[in-house]
Amino acid sequence: MVTEVSPTRRRAVCFALMAAALVTSSCVYFNTYYNAQKYFRQAEKARLEEQRNNSNGWSRDRTFGRRQGWSGRHESYHGLYEKAVRKASLVLDKHRDSELVDDAMFLVGRALYWQRDYQYGARSLQDLKDNFPKSEYFDRARLWRGFCLEGLGDKAGASAIYRQLISERSEVGDQGGLRLGEMAVEDAQYLIAIQEFQSALEAFPQSDLRSLLFLRIGETHLEFEEITRADSAFIALQNALQSDPPDSVEYRARLNQGRALYRLDQQEQAIEVYTDLLRESRFRTSEGETRLLVGQYYQERQDLDRALSEFEKVRDDFPQTGVSAKALYHTGLLYLQAHGDRPLAQEYLEEVSQEKRDSEAAELSAALLSTFNELDELLYEIWEADSLISVSNSVQLDSDSDATVSNSIAPKDVAEAGVVEGDLAMAVIANSVTGEWDGQDTLIAFGDSLVSTSKPLAAGRPLVGAPRPTVEDGTPQRSRRSQRQREQDEKEPRDLLLDHLFVVAEIYRDDLGQPDSAAIYYEEIVNRYPESDEVPRALYNLAWIHLEIWEDEQTARPFVDRLVADYPLTAHANGVRERLGMEIAKTAQDLASTEFDSIDIASRRDPGRAKFWIEALDELVDEYPRTETAVKSAFRAAWLQENVLLDSAGAADRFAMVEETYPRSAFAELVRDRREADKSGLVNRLERELRTLGQGLNPSERLELLAVEPDSVDSAAYSKKYLGFALRAHRRGDLELAEDLYQLSLDEQVTRNGRALSGMGDAAWERGWFDESIDYFRRAVTTQSGGAVPFYRLFAYHAQEGDVDSANHYLRHVLRRDRANPETQAVADQFPSVISAEPEPLEISILETITLEPPVARLEVKEIFLDLNEAPMVRTLAEASYPTEAVGDTGSVILDILVDVNGRPDSIKVFSGEDPFAYAAVETVEDYLFYPGVDKKGEEIPVWVEVVISYAPEAESVDSMIPTVAPDSTVSTDTLVTGRTPANVDDAAVPQ
């Protein structure tokens, strides 16, 4: 039977089917987005849990998308974020007209951020901003795009977004203000950070972040060392506690109040704060960080058992976390510094990475273990270089015994026999390296006799660390470093030993925090090298340890008195005078430099009296033998003997004296290079190179490297070419041209071009445009190629601005990065705590007295920079004839020459100089023949070089040959050996 369906029912059925289809379609994209949300929530939960385990308790880094500074390993939550991105992308691909598209885009942007895919994250969030201006996520998408720009290193772009959100009083503007402050903290701009946090509070007084912003202000105040800052921090933290904070903020505020009280010398009140926190169960998850502070409190008070107990509780209650790893690290540090038990300390430190890999404690432990390895290698080399403890020698016993003991006898026996004071330290070194010394009874018995005027060692503290591995016969295994340098070490074993003793002392003092062991090595230097120029440095460090670390002026007095009495005119003597409020004396270097300047000027004016000037230089060397000017004077006298008196035999004797008397100077190295060249009978090209080292080349033969001519349109090659010419323009004083060339270099290659950024900043600095220069320097330090110059300038800037923390921060970088600079080494010697394992910042009154200039060599172009194996060199010289139309004038022309692969001048440009000299110089150089430049592959390539052609009437020709030495210059082969003085740059052509 067929039932007829009425029209009304038919329409109802059709409507039902259509609705079902719409519901089905809607359910598809809604369910897809719902699954994306589910995976995103799971990823967030996993990420927060993992960060909680990685952090030392509550982490400020978890706030509002701050970029994490971890190792980059693939965290467990990455897969969940990836699933969320895929599901949300389906909504964007297949359901573009749905109402959830902006939701999906916002989710994708955040998920990509947490996957560190900042570029695509920023793009997704920008698309949301551009296409959905009415979206509820509009402002939040802009905020998160700022986070992504930070991840890409574009802090300027991120800051612009945050400031716009603040100015618009956006609902997330307070978060933008928070990030502006955090960015300033990351850059160590603490005063600016405090201002940013306070501005956010003023702009958003009812913000939910009010308590957090007060917390940040308090924490930032604690970054300073001044007592007044601790007061300000305490007040800010109190405001945070009165602003209805969440538990996480309340915990940090109270914990930091304890830190502030500690700074204010109210330690008992501080420990009460920590104890109260431990009593409250709601802070149970953060208990580990609190106990770490309690443990450090007891450790500072030498209550070592209670300190170890607190660290052990952290390890037991919070295993496999960042705080347990930190507790292991502090335990190892305690056994090392308080008990002197390095083997046990090393066990704890090695366990840290197993406890929590990629934690801050793991990085600290790895650095300390690396220091142990470096120390062991140095100690082995000391043992190897020290003739007193070599296999062929015996240890001399005291006057009560007529027997001798070989190095194979255990040091306990040596100690019982009564080894004399001078040899015991080296005997302990030798036997500790061979693994025969247990590090306990010997030092307990002879701690005071090792260094009679030093603080007694802590019971059981070893002088050195764990034994080195041995081969089957029991002899120490030679380090790889020793094998590489064996030939060099055998040439100058005594000098090598002195260097190693200093390095070992500094490692104990700065890196391991064991000043008593450092004192042993410093006094060993004083005893073993009584005639060395380094004795004042060792005495100063001994005095510093007693005065600054042990705060014992009485035990420091023997070192202070000897330093002031025996070396009164040294900078080190002035250092202890200043520390003790004594009158500062003019140093021998100051006096010698003044006298040298007068001889230098007079000898240049009257070269005909060369014998008289040589005698004057000899007298200067005799009067100030331990100064840098002495070696400069000795070398200058030898140069005059060779080049003005033309007495090669006499000059050879003088050069030999320089090498023998000042074997560790740069000038001694020059002399050795000359001698090796004479012995080897090398080809003409190498002879000329070595003559350059010893001032044998005519000035018109000396070439300065500029750049390699690119053989393609490679932007990196052109960037390096422009940079080379920029450095020369900068070196020659044409700052405007230098800036133009630096900019061309950056236009060709903006990334990884730190040297160009540094050069731009340096040029702006020299022109007095300090604010502009600082921006370039800050960009340069983020690269790996910016060099040390930005750190010099940033230190000077912040010291001048009174920014204590930033100035200390950059000073540490300078002292650690540029130890070859005598000026930085002098500062490091005077203030070793600045670069110690736990650095102590200097006060602004001290920072303002420190003047550090970046080395002149920063503007030089070296073969290694141009990837050259051999630089071009003059093969055949054309004599420069004095232009007849010059009519008695003098002139100097700087030419840029492109030396082609055949050794011919392919192009000649005048950098500076005027006719008739410029015209004559170009004509002369056209007849030059060169050895071409050779790259790392051994292929000859076109290279730009600079040559200076000088013209003077015949009567002045000798005077123009004598090298110029800057009045206050240090030992520099660039200034003395080449004899170049900067030319006035009137006109410059940039070779294209």
Side-chain angles (χ1 to χ4, degrees):
M1 176 178 175
V2 178
T3 303
E4 184 177 351
V5 179
S6 68
T8 302
R9 183 181 181 118
R10 188 181 299 115
R11 285 195 298 271
V13 170
C14 289
F15 283 136
L17 292 173
M18 291 173 62
L22 289 171
V23 169
T24 302
S25 175
S26 175
C27 287
V28 169
Y29 74 76
F30 182 81
N31 286 340
T32 303
Y33 179 71
Y34 173 81
N35 287 329
Q37 276 190 317
K38 180 183 70 174
Y39 287 128
F40 187 84
R41 286 194 298 269
Q42 291 174 354
E44 290 282 272
K45 182 179 178 181
R47 176 179 60 82
L48 292 173
E49 182 64 29
E50 189 152 340
Q51 290 178 4
R52 188 176 299 111
N53 291 336
N54 272 286
S55 68
N56 295 328
W58 188 91
S59 171
R60 74 162 78 180
D61 295 358
R62 288 210 307 271
T63 305
F64 304 112
R66 177 179 175 183
R67 184 182 182 188
Q68 306 299 315
W70 296 336
S71 64
R73 65 185 179 85
H74 198 77
E75 288 89 348
S76 61
Y77 55 78
H78 274 215
L80 293 169
Y81 279 123
E82 180 63 30
K83 290 181 179 180
V85 170
R86 289 178 182 175
K87 290 294 183 182
S89 297
L90 290 176
V91 176
L92 300 177
D93 292 340
K94 299 182 179 181
H95 308 283
R96 297 180 182 178
D97 297 329
S98 76
E99 60 185 13
L100 295 176
V101 171
D102 58 335
D103 301 70
M105 294 173 75
F106 185 51
L107 185 148
V108 167
R110 288 178 294 158
L112 289 172
Y113 171 84
W114 289 118
Q115 287 185 294
R116 299 188 181 89
D117 193 345
Y118 306 117
Q119 183 173 355
Y120 284 98
R123 184 181 300 176
S124 177
L125 295 162
Q126 182 65 37
D127 288 344
L128 190 160
K129 173 181 174 294
D130 294 341
N131 297 303
F132 297 92
K134 301 297 184 182
S135 171
E136 63 179 304
Y137 304 111
F138 183 78
D139 284 349
R140 281 185 281 170
R142 293 158 66 194
L143 177 73
W144 278 85
R145 184 168 181 273
F147 297 160
C148 289
L149 292 179
E150 280 192 70
L152 291 170
D154 185 4
K155 290 190 175 184
S159 297
I161 291 175
Y162 301 148
R163 295 196 186 282
Q164 187 175 8
L165 291 171
I166 294 172
S167 65
E168 295 172 359
R169 293 299 189 268
S170 164
E171 61 177 347
V172 292
D174 53 349
Q175 297 182 32
L178 177 66
R179 278 305 306 143
L180 287 171
E182 292 284 7
M183 289 166 64
V185 170
E186 292 165 10
D187 292 336
Q189 303 291 320
Y190 300 123
L191 289 174
I192 295 175
I194 292 171
Q195 292 172 2
E196 296 289 3
F197 294 139
Q198 289 175 336
S199 297
L201 280 168
E202 293 170 2
F204 302 93
Q206 304 303 319
S207 168
D208 292 339
L209 300 180
R210 181 177 175 82
S211 62
L212 181 57
L213 287 164
F214 275 124
L215 170 65
R216 289 291 189 268
I217 292 172
E219 289 181 325
T220 308
H221 275 298
L222 288 176
E223 298 288 349
F224 295 92
E225 294 298 321
E226 294 90 338
I227 296 295
T228 55
R229 292 288 181 178
D231 277 326
S232 300
F234 191 90
I235 294 171
L237 296 167
Q238 191 63 36
N239 288 333
L241 294 172
Q242 294 171 358
S243 302
D244 192 23
D247 284 352
S248 58
V249 174
E250 180 184 350
Y251 170 76
R252 294 301 303 180
R254 290 169 61 182
L255 189 74
N256 280 291
Q257 277 193 326
R259 292 175 58 205
L261 289 169
Y262 207 93
R263 293 270 184 89
L264 294 168
D265 203 25
Q266 300 178 33
Q267 287 86 355
E268 297 301 327
Q269 292 90 326
I271 203 68
E272 287 179 11
V273 171
Y274 301 149
T275 305
D276 289 343
L277 286 173
L278 291 174
R279 292 195 187 104
E280 297 188 39
S281 59
R282 61 194 175 111
F283 299 134
R284 167 64 181 169
T285 56
S286 301
E287 181 182 318
E289 186 175 6
T290 310
R291 289 201 179 278
L292 281 175
L293 289 173
V294 173
Q296 292 175 55
Y297 166 83
Y298 287 129
Q299 184 175 354
E300 289 180 10
R301 275 170 161 57
Q302 297 300 309
D303 192 344
L304 304 182
D305 290 337
R306 293 185 71 176
L308 288 172
S309 175
E310 294 295 335
F311 296 149
E312 187 175 1
K313 287 179 183 176
V314 176
R315 303 201 312 270
D316 292 343
D317 295 348
F318 302 94
Q320 305 299 308
T321 64
V323 288
S324 63
K326 201 69 173 287
L328 278 169
Y329 171 75
H330 280 293
T331 302
L333 212 58
L334 185 150
Y335 279 113
L336 176 69
Q337 295 180 346
H339 292 300
D341 191 341
R342 178 180 146 179
L344 185 56
Q346 189 156 338
E347 289 182 18
Y348 280 104
L349 294 172
E350 289 171 347
E351 192 179 340
V352 172
S353 61
Q354 302 172 16
E355 183 73 11
K356 190 62 182 177
R357 186 181 174 187
D358 301 324
S359 64
E360 178 189 3
E363 293 180 6
L364 293 171
S365 298
L368 199 51
L369 289 170
S370 176
T371 300
F372 286 165
N373 291 334
E374 180 186 3
L375 181 64
D376 285 345
E377 288 197 5
L378 286 167
L379 290 172
Y380 179 80
E381 291 181 15
I382 288 174
W383 175 86
E384 189 177 46
D386 188 357
S387 61
L388 292 177
I389 58 171
S390 64
V391 176
S392 60
N393 290 348
S394 299
V395 178
Q396 179 66 44
L397 300 181
D398 64 12
S399 57
D400 295 333
S401 173
D402 56 0
T404 59
V405 181
S406 71
N407 284 329
S408 61
I409 295 180
K412 281 187 179 181
D413 299 327
V414 175
E416 291 167 1
V419 179
V420 295
E421 176 183 322
D423 292 343
L424 180 55
M426 288 296 101
V428 172
I429 293 173
N431 288 284
S432 68
V433 170
T434 59
E436 297 171 351
W437 173 59
D438 66 1
Q440 301 293 327
D441 296 342
T442 304
L443 284 183
I444 293 174
F446 289 87
D448 291 333
S449 65
L450 273 171
V451 183
S452 57
T453 55
S454 291
K455 280 277 190 184
L457 299 176
R461 172 173 290 188
L463 175 64
V464 295
R468 291 188 59 81
T470 58
V471 293
E472 291 183 0
D473 63 357
T475 58
Q477 198 174 52
R478 187 183 305 280
S479 68
R480 289 191 299 271
R481 183 179 177 197
S482 293
Q483 290 172 329
R484 288 196 309 268
Q485 297 186 343
R486 180 173 178 78
E487 182 176 350
Q488 175 184 345
D489 295 354
E490 289 177 348
K491 291 180 181 178
E492 300 290 344
R494 184 171 174 79
D495 294 330
L496 183 71
L497 178 58
L498 178 60
D499 288 339
H500 286 353
L501 288 172
F502 264 115
V503 174
V504 168
E506 289 167 1
I507 288 175
Y508 275 120
R509 183 193 66 190
D510 301 335
D511 299 332
L512 302 186
Q514 294 182 290
D516 43 5
S517 293
I520 290 175
Y521 285 92
Y522 284 127
E523 190 151 354
E524 189 66 26
I525 291 169
V526 172
N527 293 336
R528 293 170 66 87
Y529 295 86
E531 302 301 322
S532 171
D533 297 341
E534 300 290 354
V535 170
R537 178 181 168 193
L539 287 171
Y540 174 84
N541 278 282
L542 283 165
W544 185 89
I545 288 171
H546 286 266
L547 290 170
E548 299 293 335
I549 298 181
W550 292 327
E551 299 180 350
D552 191 339
E553 186 174 337
Q554 183 177 356
T555 59
R557 268 295 165 186
F559 305 114
V560 172
D561 293 343
R562 181 175 175 186
L563 182 57
V564 172
D566 295 351
Y567 309 95
L569 301 182
T570 62
H572 293 97
N574 273 345
V576 295
R577 287 190 184 104
E578 183 178 4
R579 171 65 177 78
L580 297 175
M582 302 165 66
E583 184 179 355
I584 303 299
K586 208 167 187 179
T587 67
Q589 174 59 29
D590 295 333
L591 298 172
S593 179
T594 301
E595 187 172 337
F596 179 85
D597 293 342
S598 64
I599 298 173
D600 177 42
I601 294 171
S603 65
R604 284 164 43 77
R605 289 175 178 171
D606 188 6
R609 300 176 63 197
K611 288 185 178 180
F612 176 79
W613 305 127
I614 290 173
E615 291 175 0
L617 291 168
D618 289 341
E619 291 177 2
L620 190 154
V621 172
D622 292 339
E623 187 173 359
Y624 304 104
R626 289 190 172 93
T627 64
E628 293 174 351
T629 301
V631 62
K632 186 189 303 184
S633 301
F635 191 91
R636 175 65 181 280
W639 190 93
L640 289 172
Q641 188 103 12
E642 182 179 54
N643 294 277
V644 180
L645 297 183
L646 304 179
D647 180 2
S648 299
D653 292 338
R654 286 185 172 274
F655 282 128
M657 184 275 292
V658 170
E659 180 186 15
E660 180 181 350
T661 309
Y662 307 100
R664 301 170 67 239
S665 70
F667 294 103
E669 188 65 30
L670 283 175
V671 174
R672 285 190 283 270
D673 289 340
R674 290 161 55 93
R675 185 180 63 250
E676 290 301 316
D678 292 338
K679 289 181 179 178
S680 59
L682 299 177
V683 295
N684 184 43
R685 181 179 183 183
L686 185 54
E687 288 176 351
R688 287 183 177 271
E689 290 177 352
L690 294 172
R691 279 180 59 209
T692 303
L693 292 171
Q695 273 293 291
L697 288 182
N698 185 296
S700 57
E701 288 183 88
R702 301 191 195 107
L703 305 180
E704 293 289 334
L705 280 174
L706 294 178
V708 169
E709 179 65 19
D711 59 356
S712 67
V713 295
D714 179 23
S715 60
Y718 274 96
S719 176
K720 185 173 285 191
K721 173 184 174 180
Y722 291 133
L723 178 56
F725 280 100
L727 291 168
R728 188 280 304 278
H730 196 161
R731 186 172 67 249
R732 291 293 184 184
D734 192 337
L735 299 179
E736 186 174 352
L737 175 61
E739 287 179 335
D740 291 342
L741 290 165
Y742 284 133
Q743 188 58 57
L744 286 173
S745 177
L746 290 170
D747 290 344
E748 294 289 344
Q749 186 181 28
V750 68
T751 59
R752 299 187 302 277
N753 199 353
R755 196 167 182 185
L757 289 169
S758 176
M760 283 288 278
D762 210 15
W765 178 279
E766 292 181 21
R767 298 180 75 173
W769 301 343
F770 300 114
D771 291 338
E772 180 180 336
S773 70
I774 293 305
D775 179 60
Y776 282 112
F777 289 137
R778 286 174 180 158
R779 291 167 60 189
V781 297
T782 63
T783 71
Q784 298 296 319
S785 56
V789 176
F791 296 99
Y792 277 91
R793 299 304 195 198
L794 287 167
F795 159 67
Y797 176 82
H798 289 296
Q800 184 65 31
E801 291 293 312
D803 188 343
V804 178
D805 289 285
S806 295
N808 277 288
H809 170 77
Y810 290 114
L811 178 61
R812 283 193 292 272
H813 274 285
V814 170
L815 299 184
R816 288 170 176 168
R817 293 171 66 97
D818 201 6
R819 296 199 177 202
N821 186 344
E823 292 183 3
T824 61
Q825 184 58 61
V827 174
D829 286 341
Q830 187 174 0
F831 306 107
S833 62
V834 175
I835 54 173
S836 62
E838 297 181 1
E840 298 179 8
L842 302 178
E843 297 178 356
I844 190 63
S845 59
I846 298 176
L847 292 169
E848 289 173 343
T849 66
I850 298 175
T851 302
L852 290 174
E853 285 294 326
V856 177
R858 72 188 187 278
L859 301 177
E860 295 178 354
V861 178
K862 302 290 189 182
E863 285 91 338
I864 189 172
F865 173 70
L866 300 181
D867 296 323
L868 289 177
N869 198 40
E870 297 285 350
M873 187 175 178
V874 175
R875 184 171 187 172
T876 302
L877 178 69
E879 293 296 333
S881 300
Y882 184 81
T884 56
E885 57 268 40
V887 195
D889 290 338
T890 60
S892 182
V893 182
I894 301 176
L895 298 177
D896 299 340
I897 308 167
L898 178 60
V899 179
D900 66 16
V901 296
N902 297 314
R904 299 294 304 176
D906 184 57
S907 177
I908 303 172
K909 305 285 186 180
V910 178
F911 177 78
S912 72
E914 297 180 355
D915 287 336
F917 300 115
Y919 182 81
V922 171
E923 279 196 328
T924 300
V925 171
E926 285 177 343
D927 295 329
Y928 274 36
L929 183 62
F930 301 87
Y931 291 101
V934 180
D935 64 12
K936 296 295 184 181
K937 299 177 183 178
E939 299 176 357
E940 295 172 337
I941 58 174
V943 179
W944 285 95
V945 295
E946 173 195 272
V947 67
V948 180
I949 307 294
S950 297
Y951 294 91
E954 187 65 27
E956 299 181 13
S957 59
V958 176
D959 178 55
S960 64
M961 290 175 56
I962 299 179
T964 301
V965 181
D968 298 324
S969 65
T970 57
V971 179
S972 168
T973 58
D974 182 65
T975 55
L976 182 62
V977 176
T978 63
R980 287 183 283 109
T981 56
N984 293 323
V985 181
D986 301 321
D987 186 24
V990 181
Q992 299 294 331

